[in-house]
Amino acid sequence: MGTVVDAVKQEANGTLPNGKKVQVVFVLGGPGSGKGTQCANIVEHFGFSHLSAGDLLRAEIKSGSENGEMIQNMIKEGKIVPSEVTIKLLQQAMMDIDNEKFLIDGFPRNEENRAAFEKVTGIIPEFVLFFDCSEEEMERRIMNRNQGREDDNIDTIRKRFKVFVESSVPVVEYYESRGKVRKIDAGKPVEEVFEAVKTVFSSIHAKVA
C-alpha cells in the first residue's frame, strides 16, 4: 500500500499503470504566448514527446469510439469534459509512445484538472514551464496570424484571456508556491525565448546526468 513516504518518493516522477516511469513537464501560457512554437523546439532539441490535451480529445472524437461520441456530445452541449476523461487519454498516450519524457501542453486548465491529474496518475510534474506574455502582445500576435480563423476576433480573444487568467493562473500560482514554476518572458522574439527555454531544460539534463 502507498504511504506518505512513497508519495514523497514519487516527487517529480510517476509510474504509469503499465509500470513505465515517466518525466512530465506541464506547459502553460495564454493564447498567443507561443507555446506551440516552443514545444516544437523542445521536442527537436531535448527529445520530449509533445501531448496536447485538446488534440487528444479531437482525435478521440474523430475515432468514432463510444468515448469520442460522449466527448462530442458534451462539447456540443457546452459542458466541460470531465477531467478523468482527458487524464485517461493523456495516460494512454504516454503508455503508447515509446518515450519517458513528456511535455503536456495546455493542461491542467484549472485547479480541478490539476488535483485530478495528481490523484489519478500519482504523477507530480518535474516543473511547469510558464510562458509569461502581456495581453497586448498576445492580442497583437493573434490578430496578425488571423487567417480567417473564426475564433480570432477581438471579443473572442479577450474572452479567452479572461478564462485563462481565471482558470489557469491559479494552477501556476499553486506550483509556484511549491517552487516548481520556470517562468519564461515570452514577449521577446522567438529565438530569445528559446534561449531561455534551453537554459531551463539544460539544467534538468545536468540533474539527470
Side-chain angles (χ1 to χ4, degrees):
M1 258 182 68
T3 64
V4 173
V5 176
D6 291 334
V8 172
K9 274 187 197 161
Q10 277 186 321
E11 184 75 13
N13 275 305
T15 306
L16 296 169
N18 63 355
K20 177 177 166 182
K21 279 198 167 302
V22 293
Q23 183 183 55
V24 167
V25 173
F26 287 145
V27 183
L28 294 174
S33 61
K35 292 197 315 298
T37 302
Q38 297 302 334
C39 282
N41 285 336
I42 296 162
V43 167
E44 189 183 335
H45 288 80
F46 294 102
F48 277 72
S49 290
H50 177 208
L51 295 177
S52 155
D55 287 351
L56 289 172
L57 287 168
R58 283 186 285 276
E60 190 67 18
I61 290 168
K62 263 191 187 166
S63 75
S65 70
E66 205 174 303
N67 204 22
E69 278 182 39
M70 180 269 289
I71 294 165
Q72 189 169 28
N73 289 336
M74 292 198 78
I75 291 169
K76 267 186 193 164
E77 289 166 23
K79 292 178 182 169
I80 292 171
V81 177
S83 295
E84 280 74 11
V85 172
T86 308
I87 291 160
K88 292 290 182 194
L89 290 174
L90 287 165
Q91 208 171 36
Q92 190 59 50
M94 287 191 279
M95 287 193 284
D96 292 345
I97 295 168
D98 185 21
N99 197 353
E100 291 78 45
K101 303 187 297 182
F102 293 94
L103 296 176
I104 296 185
D105 172 12
F107 186 92
R109 285 187 179 276
N110 53 40
E111 266 292 285
E112 194 266 331
N113 276 176
R114 178 201 63 72
F117 182 87
E118 290 186 9
K119 186 180 172 192
V120 171
T121 66
I123 295 171
I124 308 283
E126 179 76 34
F127 59 86
V128 176
L129 189 66
F130 175 47
F131 289 100
D132 193 18
C133 194
S134 71
E135 281 194 20
E136 293 77 21
E137 176 60 18
M138 290 192 284
E139 194 174 292
R140 186 187 67 75
R141 289 177 184 178
I142 294 171
M143 294 311 286
N144 280 351
R145 78 177 185 204
N146 188 344
Q147 295 169 329
R149 278 178 52 167
E150 282 176 37
D151 60 347
D152 280 357
N153 66 66
I154 203 74
D155 289 340
T156 310
I157 292 164
R158 286 177 180 163
K159 274 182 199 152
R160 286 164 68 201
F161 289 153
K162 188 168 183 281
V163 168
F164 175 74
V165 170
E166 288 172 358
S167 303
S168 299
V169 169
V171 176
V172 176
E173 288 169 347
Y174 170 86
Y175 283 118
E176 203 157 29
S177 71
R178 282 153 180 76
K180 284 194 165 287
V181 172
R182 306 292 179 269
K183 196 178 280 191
I184 302 288
D185 179 355
K188 293 179 176 174
V190 173
E191 297 77 15
E192 286 181 45
V193 173
F194 188 53
E195 284 307 313
V197 168
K198 277 203 284 199
T199 303
V200 169
F201 279 84
S202 298
S203 69
I204 57 164
H205 273 253
K207 200 169 75 178
V208 170

